[in-house]
């Protein structure tokens, strides 16, 4: 018997890794043909309806609190007033690979009825048939929503493919340099600081390094573990500041001078010890950088306004009670004045989030009602009272964030010069190639030249050699 | 069954112990311990075993009938998905994007791409080092040592040791990973606190490979220990006593009596442990494969390309390569097993 036992053990062990992947390949025909929901969306029914909603957040993050404390009770009450029995369940997200999980869920016909969604996933999910245009799912009713008038076209477009909206945008953001004014003061630097070139950032970091040797002068996201943060608030602001871009005139930009200049800057700050490499390579590095900044152990941090509203706000994960007094913010300068993209002196990059309806939902009509309820003026105002942020709705922005100096700064100074990610389905792969390239430089795995060359060939592998410029 | 002759044969060297197995060992029986070399050189004529007699109880069709459901289930839940995954390995199937909806056949592109990828090669090396150091040398070495050292212990001391070792084996992986991260953390980890002086080493960054190797030894030693413990118990005490009387040193006893007796067990353990370790994903929970891929074993590599980057087709191809490597390990093992039996 022993032999037989061993053989079957062996067989099970042998095949295990394949089984996992095979499980993913099962249902690719279920995604394409969801047109049956078509134009004839079901009318509101009298049957009890149960909806599920998921956001990539857990308590005490404000999105989760808001959904549980405001959205669900208010929406259920509203439905009850109309004599309809609708219950809503919040499925907590808050995982690192929310996107992967969502894609897997959708590909097998599962997943929450409404889910939060990052703007830059739209193209690839739509191309895979994992999400569907709102008009396909819900019908003409979509056009009757009052909210469209309040959302700028560019923002609607962030969750659209070929002008067909796939979801409702929630808001946008901007990237700046946050700095600790208390540390700047201790180091003899001006507390009202606005660098106009990369050299001025380096000067300030070097001053912090020599005056306050116990703190980390600055942090610029660089690791693979930082994921999209590395791309959007690390590499991209540098690339744009050197006059580069990701995609120009139909061509992806490979190994260009701007790429190398951005990498040189990374190399300088990490090899001089102006920034802490460990914090980039650890799996929880981003949280560590937040923690260091909130505790006054980190001088400068290039981040989105998420840091301000979601991390160091008094109810955030790393609260800073008197953030108005201790934290300053400055525009990210180009390498030299005028050297940035479009000849700009300063640059920024923006992302955005939204919500989409699951094409597999049994209740597209009710899901749409919930979706628009969450994006209504009243709901969004309630949200920004909990956490001021730049929403997609202009009426809410006017009434909701005027008192917040940081967000007003983003809305007025940053958004006019910002940059959005190209809406191609290949973008996420390009972004990963970027993270890889940058980590190779800061970890010392390769020098600037070979990292840039490797990026170029990786890019050719992703989009095809004919679509890559530079090199 | 036929593969347990080691014990019987070895009893040949202990003539005073010929009780129940006498019929088998009668022909030989020369020599004392010193004369019985480690390679089991004494060829014992194997009595002709009538394998047919064992299955003759049931007819062939009936036997097939009994086995068919099992074969069917294995085919449905193991072979079919495996073949399906192999097929995916020849496509550009992706988690998202156009290739998710309409995957295209790309031939062997995925396989050549994998072999060209320096990260694939490095992950293969990392895996082999990881398997050899943590699985074969670490877990089996330590497991055998523990089983050997405590073989004569009885009562609560032994049970305490066993429980401690087994606990590390049965705690869920995610919990263990959390404990180890807390243990190895740079700023307030237990390890740094135990070292005198103001140490703030980030062990998972400075010694990542060593960290996951030690972690895995700690984690998996129990299995080897239990197996070797059982194996050592199959050695008749008389052999060891004879060795003692003949003046064999501890090392000689180990080399000439113990190891030959448990060779079959060792082979089995090598196979199971190396395959297990080869496919292990747990290091991910400690290091995520980093820093900069230094601990990216193949299971993590597959996870990263298949789920992180959404390249399910490419990931399937790499899985197939992993399967092939496992197959080679298994073949070598069966080969050794057969040779051993032939010799016997």
């Amino acid at each position: 018997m022993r032999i037989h036992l061993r053989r079957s053990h062996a067989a099970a062990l042998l095949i295990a890794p394949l089984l996992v992947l095979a499980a993913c390949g099962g249902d690719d025909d279920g995604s394409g043909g969801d047109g049956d929901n078509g134009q004839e969306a079901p009318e509101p029914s009298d049957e009890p309806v149960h909806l599920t909603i998921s956001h990539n957040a857990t308590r005490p993050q404000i999105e989760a609190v808001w959904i549980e404390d405001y959205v669900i009770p208010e929406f259920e009450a509203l439905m009850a007033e109309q004599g309809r029995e609708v219950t809503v369940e919040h499925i907590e997200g808050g995982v690192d690979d929310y996107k992967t999980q969502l894609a897997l869920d959708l590909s097998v016909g599962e997943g929450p009825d409404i889910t939060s969604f990052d703007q830059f996933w739209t193209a690839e999910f739509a191309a895979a048939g994992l999400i569907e245009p709102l008009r396909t799912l819900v019908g003409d009713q979509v056009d009757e929503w009052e909210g469209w008038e309040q959302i700028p076209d560019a923002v609607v477009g962030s969750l659209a493919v070929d002008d067909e909206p796939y979801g409702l945008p929630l808001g946008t953001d901007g990237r700046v340099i946050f700095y600790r004014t208390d540390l700047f003061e201790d180091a003899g630097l001006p507390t009202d600081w606005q660098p106009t070139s990369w050299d001025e950032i380096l000067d300030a970091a070097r001053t912090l390094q020599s005056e306050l040797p116990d703190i980390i002068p600055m942090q610029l996201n660089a690791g693979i573990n930082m994921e999209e943060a590395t791309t959007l608030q690390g590499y991209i602001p540098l690339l744009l500041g050197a006059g580069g871009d990701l995609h120009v005139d139909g061509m992806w930009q490979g190994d260009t001078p701007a790429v190398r200049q951005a990498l040189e800057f990374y190399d300088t700050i990490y090899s001089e010890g102006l920034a802490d490499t460990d914090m980039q390579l650890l799996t929880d590095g981003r949280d560590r950088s937040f923690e260091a900044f909130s505790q006054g152990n980190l001088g400068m941090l290039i981040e989105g306004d998420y840091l301000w509203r979601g991390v160091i706000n008094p109810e955030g994960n790393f609260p800073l009670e008197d953030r108005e007094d201790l934290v300053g913010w400055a525009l990210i300068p180009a390498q030299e004045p005028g050297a940035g993209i479009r000849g700009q002196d300063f640059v920024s990059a923006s992302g955005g989030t939204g919500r989409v309806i699951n094409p597999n939902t049994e209740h597209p009509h009710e899901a749409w009602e919930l979706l628009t309820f969450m994006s209504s003026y009243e709901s969004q105002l309630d949200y920004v009272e909990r956490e001021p942020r730049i929403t997609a709705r202009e009426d809410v922005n006017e009434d909701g964030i005027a008192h917040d100096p940081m967000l007003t700064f983003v809305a007025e100074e940053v958004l006019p010069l910002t940059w959005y990610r190209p809406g191609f389905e290949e973008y996420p792969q390009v972004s990963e190639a970027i993270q890889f390239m940058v980590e190779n430089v800061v970890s010392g795995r390769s020098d600037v030249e070979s990292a840039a060359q490797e990026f170029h060939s990786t890019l050719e592998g992703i989009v095809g050699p004919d679509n890559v410029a530079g090199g | 069954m036929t593969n347990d002759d080691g014990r019987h044969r070895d009893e040949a060297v202990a003539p005073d112990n010929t009780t129940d197995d006498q019929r088998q060992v009668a022909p030989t029986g020369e020599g004392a311990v010193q004369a019985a070399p480690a390679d089991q050189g004494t060829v014992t004529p194997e009595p002709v075993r009538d394998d047919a007699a064992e299955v003759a109880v049931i007819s062939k069709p009936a036997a097939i009938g009994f086995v068919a459901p099992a074969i069917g289930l294995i085919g449905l839940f193991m072979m079919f998905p495996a073949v399906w995954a192999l097929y995916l390995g020849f496509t550009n199937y992706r988690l998202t994007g156009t290739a998710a909806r309409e995957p295209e056949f790309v031939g062997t592109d995925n396989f050549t791409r994998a072999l060209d990828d320096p990260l694939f090669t490095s992950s293969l090396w990392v895996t082999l080092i990881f398997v050899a150091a943590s699985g074969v040398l670490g877990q089996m070495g330590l497991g055998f040592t523990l089983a050997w050292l405590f073989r004569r212990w009885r009562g609560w001391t032994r049970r305490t040791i066993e429980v401690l070792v087994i606990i590390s084996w049965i705690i869920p992986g995610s919990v263990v990973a959390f404990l180890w991260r807390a243990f190895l953390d740079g700023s307030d980890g237990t390890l740094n606190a135990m070292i005198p002086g103001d140490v703030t080493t980030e062990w998972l960054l400075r010694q990542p490979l060593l960290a996951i190797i030690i972690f895995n030894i700690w984690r998996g030693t129990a299995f080897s220990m239990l197996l070797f413990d059982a194996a050592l118990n199959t050695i008749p005490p008389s052999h060891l006593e004879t060795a003692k009387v003949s003046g064999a040193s501890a090392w000689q006893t180990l080399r000439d009596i113990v190891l030959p007796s448990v060779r079959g067990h060792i082979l089995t353990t090598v196979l199971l442990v190396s395959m297990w370790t080869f496919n292990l994903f747990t290091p991910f929970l400690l290091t995520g494969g980093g820093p900069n891929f230094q601990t990216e074993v193949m299971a993590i590599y597959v996870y990263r390309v298949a789920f992180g980057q959404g390249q399910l087709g490419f990931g399937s191809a790499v899985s197939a390569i992993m399967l092939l490597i496992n197959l080679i390990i298994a073949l070598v093992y069966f080969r050794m097993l057969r040779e051993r039996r032939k010799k016997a």
Side-chain angles (χ1 to χ4, degrees):
Chain A
M1 273 319 283
R2 266 172 46 200
I3 286 290
H4 294 204
L5 208 63
R6 280 184 212 155
R7 276 189 207 273
S8 61
H9 267 295
L13 286 167
L14 277 168
I15 291 176
L18 279 174
L19 291 180
V20 180
L21 284 164
C24 305
D27 188 312
D28 42 349
D29 52 355
S31 45
D34 280 317
D36 27 310
N37 286 324
Q39 296 295 323
E40 35 193 316
E43 287 301 303
S45 64
D46 296 331
E47 299 288 305
V49 168
H50 184 71
L51 293 174
T52 52
I53 179 166
S54 171
H55 194 106
N56 192 12
T58 50
R59 276 178 181 267
Q61 280 172 290
I62 291 156
E63 292 93 340
V65 174
W66 179 67
I67 287 171
E68 287 175 8
D69 293 0
Y70 176 84
V71 174
I72 293 178
E74 293 287 326
F75 183 72
E76 286 179 351
L78 183 76
M79 290 291 107
E81 267 174 41
Q82 299 175 11
R84 291 155 65 192
E85 195 184 335
V86 179
T87 51
V88 182
E89 182 191 351
H90 177 220
I91 300 172
E92 286 208 5
V95 293
D96 284 341
D97 50 357
Y98 190 81
K99 178 188 169 191
T100 306
Q101 212 171 60
L102 182 64
L104 288 171
D105 279 356
L106 293 176
S107 69
V108 294
E110 298 289 330
D113 293 310
I114 292 182
T115 177
S116 65
F117 207 74
D118 204 305
Q119 161 244 316
F120 77 99
W121 305 342
T122 311
E124 50 170 335
F125 274 65
L130 296 176
I131 54 174
E132 295 284 333
L134 287 173
R135 287 193 185 92
T136 310
L137 285 174
V138 185
D140 297 335
Q141 206 182 354
V142 168
D143 296 306
E144 294 159 19
W145 184 48
E146 52 82 29
W148 295 120
E149 289 171 21
Q150 296 294 338
I151 305 178
D153 287 347
V155 181
V156 172
S158 70
L159 278 175
V161 176
D162 296 334
D163 290 333
E164 274 291 334
Y166 279 70
L168 293 186
L170 286 175
T172 187
D173 57 5
R175 265 118 200 107
V176 297
I177 307 176
F178 287 102
Y179 59 96
R180 292 281 303 216
T181 51
D182 51 341
L183 297 179
F184 268 50
E185 199 167 354
D186 291 348
L189 290 163
T191 54
D192 186 17
W193 179 66
Q194 175 58 65
T196 58
S197 69
W198 289 0
D199 282 341
E200 289 185 30
I201 299 178
L202 292 177
D203 289 344
R206 288 178 185 133
T207 307
L208 286 169
Q209 188 180 38
S210 57
E211 296 293 320
L212 306 169
D214 290 339
I215 66 149
I216 305 165
M218 67 182 292
Q219 209 60 13
L220 181 66
N221 291 338
I224 291 167
N225 288 325
M226 295 280 189
E227 298 182 340
E228 194 63 13
T230 291
T231 312
L232 206 56
Q233 48 247 26
Y235 173 79
I236 291 288
L238 294 180
L239 181 72
L240 302 175
D245 198 347
L246 280 186
H247 192 263
V248 179
D249 299 333
M251 299 287 275
W252 290 92
Q253 302 294 298
D255 179 10
T256 62
V259 171
R260 295 195 180 201
Q261 283 156 21
L263 294 181
E264 293 286 358
F265 186 77
Y266 266 114
D267 194 35
T268 305
I269 61 170
Y270 282 98
S271 61
E272 283 187 27
L274 299 174
D276 181 5
T277 314
D278 287 359
M279 218 173 246
Q280 301 301 322
L281 300 179
L282 285 166
T283 47
D284 56 349
R286 196 165 175 216
D287 278 347
R288 289 188 187 222
S289 72
F290 291 156
E291 188 178 19
F293 189 77
S294 75
Q295 292 178 351
N297 295 323
L298 175 57
M300 286 180 261
L301 181 59
I302 298 186
E303 264 292 343
D305 57 64
Y306 166 69
L307 176 79
W308 174 261
R309 56 184 165 78
V311 178
I312 59 168
N313 83 30
E315 286 166 27
N317 288 343
F318 301 99
L320 193 56
E321 289 299 336
D322 33 9
R323 57 179 174 163
E324 273 89 356
D325 299 331
L326 294 176
V327 177
W329 48 86
L331 293 170
I332 305 168
Q335 191 172 22
E336 300 287 335
I341 185 174
R342 302 179 289 248
Q344 289 174 193
D345 298 337
F346 301 98
V347 296
S348 182
S350 292
T353 56
R355 292 198 179 85
V356 300
I357 298 179
N358 186 337
N360 310 303
T361 182
E362 288 170 26
H363 311 289
H365 188 88
E366 284 80 5
W368 168 249
E369 280 181 274
L370 176 57
L371 194 64
T372 51
F373 173 80
M374 292 170 83
S375 290
S376 67
Y377 174 80
E378 290 77 16
S379 298
Q380 286 296 302
L381 204 61
D382 184 86
Y383 186 88
V384 294
E385 278 165 13
R386 295 162 191 263
E387 180 202 75
R389 62 167 296 166
I390 300 167
T391 73
R393 292 185 67 113
E394 290 180 330
D395 49 358
V396 177
N397 292 346
E398 276 166 32
D399 302 340
I401 62 167
H403 62 279
D404 187 298
M406 202 280 128
L407 294 175
T408 310
F409 178 79
V410 173
E412 290 174 2
E413 307 284 333
V414 177
L415 290 187
L417 47 84
T418 197
W419 171 97
Y420 289 93
R421 286 168 284 198
F424 298 103
E425 66 169 276
E426 294 93 352
Y427 169 79
Q429 289 169 264
V430 175
S431 176
E432 259 155 33
I434 288 170
Q435 294 154 29
F436 182 59
M437 163 174 71
V438 175
E439 179 169 312
N440 280 346
V441 171
V442 301
S443 69
R445 190 166 180 266
S446 41
D447 57 21
V448 166
E449 188 182 341
S450 53
Q453 284 166 350
E454 196 182 339
F455 169 70
H456 189 88
S457 60
T458 309
L459 192 61
E460 287 183 335
I462 297 169
V463 299
D466 298 340
N467 300 314
V468 179
Chain B
M1 301 306 285
T2 56
N3 62 330
D4 202 13
D5 306 305
R7 178 157 61 101
H8 299 158
R9 185 190 47 259
D10 286 338
E11 280 169 6
V13 300
D16 54 332
N17 190 38
T18 49
T19 48
D20 50 328
D21 282 322
Q22 219 155 9
R23 56 190 156 73
Q24 265 190 287
V25 299
T28 50
E30 83 288 322
V33 183
Q34 298 92 316
D39 61 4
Q40 307 164 1
T42 51
V43 179
T44 315
E46 177 84 2
V48 181
R49 285 296 192 95
D50 39 355
D51 282 356
E54 282 183 45
V55 294
V57 189
I58 50 170
S59 69
K60 217 168 197 175
I64 293 170
F66 276 118
V67 177
I71 302 262
L73 285 175
I74 289 173
L76 187 65
F77 292 110
M78 291 181 73
M79 297 321 289
F80 171 72
V83 171
W84 179 246
L86 203 60
Y87 159 74
L88 286 181
F90 290 97
T91 70
N92 65 353
Y93 185 57
R94 288 186 54 88
L95 187 61
T96 58
T98 314
R101 199 202 290 248
E102 293 152 1
E104 284 168 17
F105 190 79
V106 293
T108 54
D109 277 12
N110 288 332
F111 293 89
T112 49
R113 226 185 91 205
L115 298 176
D116 281 346
D117 184 356
L119 283 179
F120 172 84
T121 329
S122 92
S123 90
L124 183 59
W125 274 117
V126 170
T127 313
L128 292 178
I129 294 169
F130 183 63
V131 169
S134 81
V136 177
L137 288 178
Q139 289 182 7
M140 288 184 58
L142 187 61
F144 187 86
T145 311
L146 288 175
W148 176 251
L149 289 179
F150 300 124
R151 70 192 184 282
R152 284 202 208 97
W153 293 30
R154 289 288 176 268
W156 66 270
T157 40
R158 180 196 174 92
R159 233 162 282 137
T160 313
I161 292 162
E162 278 178 351
V163 165
L164 283 178
V165 177
I166 292 171
I167 276 180
S168 67
W169 187 43
I170 57 170
I171 305 174
S174 46
V175 178
V176 165
F178 183 78
L179 295 175
W180 271 77
R181 278 170 73 154
F183 179 67
L184 296 173
D185 188 81
S187 41
D188 38 34
T190 319
L191 179 59
N192 284 345
M194 279 157 50
I195 301 173
D198 189 20
V199 187
T200 57
T201 310
E202 285 286 0
W203 294 100
L204 288 174
L205 292 179
R206 298 289 94 82
Q207 293 294 339
L209 192 55
L210 190 64
I212 62 166
I213 286 172
I214 292 175
F215 160 78
N216 195 41
I217 294 174
W218 177 87
R219 175 94 172 127
T221 294
F223 176 78
S224 298
M225 186 189 79
L226 291 175
L227 223 143
F228 286 130
D229 192 44
L232 290 177
N233 278 331
T234 63
I235 305 174
S238 55
H239 291 192
L240 301 170
E241 275 152 29
T242 312
K244 207 171 181 183
V245 169
S246 315
S249 68
W251 165 243
Q252 283 171 326
T253 314
L254 200 63
R255 187 192 58 189
D256 295 339
I257 311 259
V258 178
L259 289 181
S261 310
V262 298
R263 209 176 134 186
H265 302 85
I266 292 178
L267 277 174
T268 309
T269 318
V270 167
L271 175 83
L272 290 176
V273 166
S274 50
M275 277 187 163
W276 253 321
T277 314
F278 193 87
N279 294 331
L280 203 67
F281 184 69
T282 328
F284 183 85
L285 302 173
L286 252 67
T287 63
N292 204 248
F293 310 103
Q294 286 179 53
T295 58
E296 190 171 83
V297 292
M298 292 201 71
I300 300 179
Y301 179 85
V302 172
Y303 171 77
R304 186 170 59 81
V305 298
F307 296 100
Q309 305 178 348
Q311 308 180 62
L312 295 178
F314 182 63
S316 296
V318 178
S319 297
I321 297 176
M322 282 179 79
L323 174 72
L324 199 71
I325 295 169
N326 273 332
L327 211 61
I328 293 169
I329 298 177
L331 281 178
V332 170
Y333 162 77
F334 284 127
R335 185 99 191 221
M336 288 168 78
L337 202 67
R338 205 180 314 133
E339 264 166 27
R340 197 178 76 92
R341 235 180 304 156
K342 237 185 263 162
K343 261 191 190 169

